[in-house]
């Protein structure tokens, strides 16, 4: 087994550290057990199990660093990998931005490990595939899906006395349903730490329904439309906003968060109903309570009532600017409302429902303008009801413009380890049509 208990991991890392002769040494140890099943054309194509473990040593002499890794943990191997890291460090040029390893830290107890997820069996995976394939066949639809479940641990120990350990579990599922006439497509993604929250049959029904509904889509003119973005679609653009919170890029005038030789800290940039934060202890999207440098992760507000409250400061840039470091977020949580998807549709006189966005590319980092395409279920809404499917669009849009054109926030949904609400947005810009289903 590649998952070591805390005491076992610490013993291995302490042994490795005992061989160090460097000015400073940091040991990272990780391991995971994971399983998967893949199906296409209504038939399972592959399934498997993976077991991985890796120990990484970083040795430092002054500001010179060297890194080496190994997956064997006997004494001779540990001694060899430490010697290799030190050899590389002595050959390396000095890093002017090198930061000494952190000393001991205090961490909150993480909640991102669930034993039931760690105990998923091949039979469970087969049942997940069957819960997609059988209803797809009955609906004259072809299913293609992938399930991946994992349990793992990570640990860090350094010569300054820092030690941290975390166990985690996760299950990820995606499925695409295509109608057999080739004109309709539906898609769903689900991910959880706790397998008990996952319902493969429910997810598959959603994808099947969208594929059947999206057959023989009509072409309508591109332009500005009121849109309802499902959480997967919203995340596609919000991720760009999340990447812009780096303080160094802002200070150096390289990002949307730059302003007059400084940053937009304290500036209102979006609708006052927008609140964006990260929280490793949120029960719906829990993550580790420390990062790769061993920094504690706490709940952090990034945007509050539309105003920029924090930017992420690396340890180096924080020291240069004379401020406290602010670690990068490990999840994104956007505040939502009470409206369901059905409520948002009923409240829309004319608009477009977007399942997801893909092939998203940056057009202008300074304005956070992105382009991309809709996919796997795009529908025209009229007088509070879905009237018919429409052909996919290319869009040109910025999350900043999007969040300033916010009409309604709906319920939050977990997507890729984040909590994102349904959003109703006015004047969303579609620039051209795409013939792809």
């Amino acid at each position: 087994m590649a998952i070591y208990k805390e005491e076992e991991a610490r013993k291995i890392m302490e042994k490795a550290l005992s061989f160090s002769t460097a000015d400073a040494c940091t040991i990272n140890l990780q391991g995971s057990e994971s399983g998967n099943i893949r199906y296409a054309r209504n038939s399972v194509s592959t399934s498997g199990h993976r077991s991985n473990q890796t120990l990484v040593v970083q040795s430092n002499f002054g500001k010179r660093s060297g890194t080496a890794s190994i997956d064997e943990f006997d004494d001779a191997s540990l001694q060899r990998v430490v010697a290799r890291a030190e050899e590389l460090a002595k050959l390396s040029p000095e890093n002017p931005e090198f930061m000494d390893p952190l000393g001991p830290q205090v961490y909150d107890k993480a909640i991102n490990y669930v034993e039931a997820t760690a105990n998923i069996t091949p039979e469970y995976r087969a049942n997940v595939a069957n819960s997609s394939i059988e209803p797809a066949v009955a609906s004259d639809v072809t299913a293609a899906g992938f399930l991946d479940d994992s349990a793992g641990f990570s640990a860090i120990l350094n010569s300054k006395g820092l030690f941290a350990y975390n166990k985690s579990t996760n299950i990820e599922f995606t499925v695409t349903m295509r109608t057999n006439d080739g004109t309709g497509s539906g898609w769903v993604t689900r991910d959880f730490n706790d397998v008990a929250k996952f319902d493969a049959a429910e997810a598959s029904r959603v994808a099947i329904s969208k594929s059947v509904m999206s057959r023989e889509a009509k072409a309508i003119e591109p332009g500005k439309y009121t849109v309802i973005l499902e959480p997967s679609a919203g995340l596609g653009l919000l991720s760009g906003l999340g990447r812009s919170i780096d303080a160094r890029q802002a200070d150096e005038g390289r990002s949307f968060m730059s302003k007059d030789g400084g940053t937009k800290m304290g500036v209102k940039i979006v609708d006052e109903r927008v609140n964006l934060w990260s929280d490793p202890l949120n029960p719906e999207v829990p993550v580790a309570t420390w990062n790769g440098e061993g920094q504690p992760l706490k709940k952090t507000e990034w945007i509050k009532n539309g105003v920029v409250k924090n930017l992420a400061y690396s340890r180096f840039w924080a020291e240069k600017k004379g401020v406290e470091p602010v670690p990068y977020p490990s999840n994104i949580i956007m505040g939502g409302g009470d409206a369901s998807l059905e409520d948002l549709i009923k409240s829309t006189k004319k608009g477009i429902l977007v399942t997801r966005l893909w092939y998203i590319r940056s057009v202008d980092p300074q304005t956070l303008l992105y382009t991309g395409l809709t996919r796997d279920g795009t529908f025209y809404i009229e007088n509070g009801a879905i009237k018919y499917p429409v052909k996919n669009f290319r869009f040109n849009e910025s999350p900043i413009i999007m969040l300033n054109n916010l009409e309604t926030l709906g319920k939050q949904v977990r997507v890729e380890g984040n909590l994102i609400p349904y959003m109703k947005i006015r004047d969303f810009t579609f620039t051209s049509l795409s013939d792809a289903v």
Side-chain angles (χ1 to χ4, degrees):
M1 293 291 288
I3 301 178
Y4 293 105
K5 295 179 181 178
E6 183 172 341
E7 299 77 13
E8 296 171 324
R10 186 164 192 157
K11 184 177 180 181
I12 293 170
M13 298 165 77
E14 287 178 341
K15 173 60 71 172
L17 190 60
S18 72
F19 296 121
S20 174
T21 63
D23 295 341
C25 183
T26 300
I27 313 289
N28 282 276
L29 181 60
Q30 297 179 337
S32 66
E33 300 281 343
S34 60
N36 63 81
I37 192 165
R38 186 188 302 275
Y39 50 99
R41 300 181 65 181
N42 289 340
S43 179
V44 172
S45 54
T46 61
S47 63
H49 179 268
R50 301 183 302 276
S51 180
N52 295 298
Q53 55 187 19
T54 305
L55 182 140
V56 180
V57 178
Q58 178 177 296
S59 297
N60 303 103
F61 292 96
K63 293 188 175 185
R64 302 176 187 270
S65 300
T67 302
S69 63
I70 200 166
D71 60 4
E72 296 177 307
F73 306 146
D74 58 275
D75 287 5
S77 297
L78 294 175
Q79 187 172 16
R80 191 162 56 248
V81 74
V82 172
R84 179 59 174 160
E86 293 182 354
E87 178 186 7
L88 293 171
K90 293 174 182 177
L91 294 171
S92 299
E94 287 193 347
N95 175 8
E97 298 185 6
F98 173 77
M99 299 296 294
D100 286 325
L102 291 169
Q105 304 290 310
V106 177
Y107 305 109
D108 294 322
K109 184 175 176 59
I111 57 171
N112 58 334
Y113 179 85
V114 178
E115 191 69 31
T117 309
N119 293 331
I120 286 176
T121 64
E123 291 78 14
Y124 175 87
R125 298 180 197 114
N127 287 332
V128 168
N130 191 56
S131 68
S132 276
I133 294 169
E134 280 197 350
V137 171
S139 301
D140 196 28
V141 167
T142 298
F146 183 67
L147 172 75
D148 185 87
D149 58 86
S150 62
F153 82 95
S154 57
I156 183 173
L157 176 74
N158 71 27
S159 53
K160 294 293 185 69
L162 179 145
F163 175 76
Y165 176 89
N166 179 73
K167 285 175 72 176
S168 62
T169 53
N170 196 47
I171 182 169
E172 298 179 351
F173 173 76
T174 60
V175 63
T176 300
M177 300 287 185
R178 289 291 183 101
T179 57
N180 290 334
D181 63 4
T183 68
S185 181
W187 173 87
V188 156
T189 185
R190 298 284 189 269
D191 68 286
F192 301 99
N193 301 87
D194 184 355
V195 66
K197 296 180 179 181
F198 174 51
D199 185 341
E202 176 273 334
S204 298
R205 285 194 298 270
V206 172
I208 290 171
S209 174
K210 289 204 170 189
S211 69
V212 173
M213 287 172 59
S214 63
R215 286 182 299 192
E216 300 179 354
K218 299 180 181 181
I220 63 174
E221 284 296 315
K224 291 185 178 294
Y225 287 89
T226 293
V227 297
I228 297 171
L229 298 178
E230 295 200 13
S232 291
L235 178 62
L237 285 171
L238 289 173
S239 295
L241 176 57
R243 289 189 294 269
S244 76
I245 63 172
D246 179 74
R248 182 173 186 172
Q249 291 185 31
D251 283 325
E252 293 177 343
R254 297 186 287 120
S255 83
F256 167 78
M257 290 295 182
S258 304
K259 182 178 185 292
D260 301 329
T263 74
K264 291 181 179 174
M265 185 84 79
V267 176
K268 183 176 181 295
I269 61 171
V270 290
D271 188 287
E272 60 272 7
R273 290 169 292 175
V274 175
N275 293 284
L276 205 67
W277 68 96
S278 54
D279 182 3
L281 295 179
N282 183 289
E284 295 301 319
V285 287
V287 293
T289 55
W290 50 275
N291 66 11
E293 290 187 86
Q295 292 175 286
L297 297 178
K298 303 286 186 178
K299 183 176 180 179
T300 304
E301 293 179 329
W302 303 103
I303 296 176
K304 184 175 182 180
N305 299 331
V307 176
V308 179
K309 299 297 289 184
N310 277 296
L311 295 175
Y313 281 82
S314 67
R315 292 175 60 217
F316 168 78
W317 198 248
E319 182 177 87
K320 185 177 180 67
K321 290 296 182 179
V323 300
E324 289 296 314
V326 181
Y328 290 86
S330 51
N331 57 18
I332 296 175
I333 302 171
M334 181 174 171
D338 298 325
S340 66
L341 175 59
E342 291 74 20
D343 294 333
L344 295 176
I345 292 171
K346 288 179 181 177
S347 68
T348 303
K349 186 174 182 181
K350 289 184 179 180
I352 293 174
L353 172 63
V354 179
T355 297
R356 69 162 170 156
L357 306 174
W358 77 295
Y359 208 66
I360 301 172
R361 296 293 183 269
S362 175
V363 176
D364 181 4
Q366 295 288 348
T367 61
L368 291 184
L369 181 64
Y370 291 90
T371 189
L373 298 158
T374 65
R375 187 175 185 180
D376 296 319
T378 309
F379 304 96
Y380 181 70
I381 301 168
E382 189 172 275
N383 296 326
I386 292 176
K387 289 298 183 182
Y388 49 79
V390 294
K391 287 193 173 185
N392 286 307
F393 293 100
R394 173 168 291 281
F395 68 87
N396 274 18
E397 194 57 86
S398 162
I400 303 303
I401 295 173
M402 176 182 82
L403 294 178
N404 274 295
N405 288 340
L406 178 66
E407 288 199 357
T408 310
L409 286 169
K411 294 180 179 179
Q412 294 171 309
V413 175
R414 175 170 171 151
V415 182
E416 298 177 15
N418 307 288
L419 273 183
I420 308 297
Y422 290 96
M423 288 181 279
K424 185 176 175 180
I425 308 292
R426 65 181 175 273
D427 293 335
F428 194 92
T429 303
F430 295 117
T431 56
S432 60
L433 291 176
S434 169
D435 285 329
V437 175

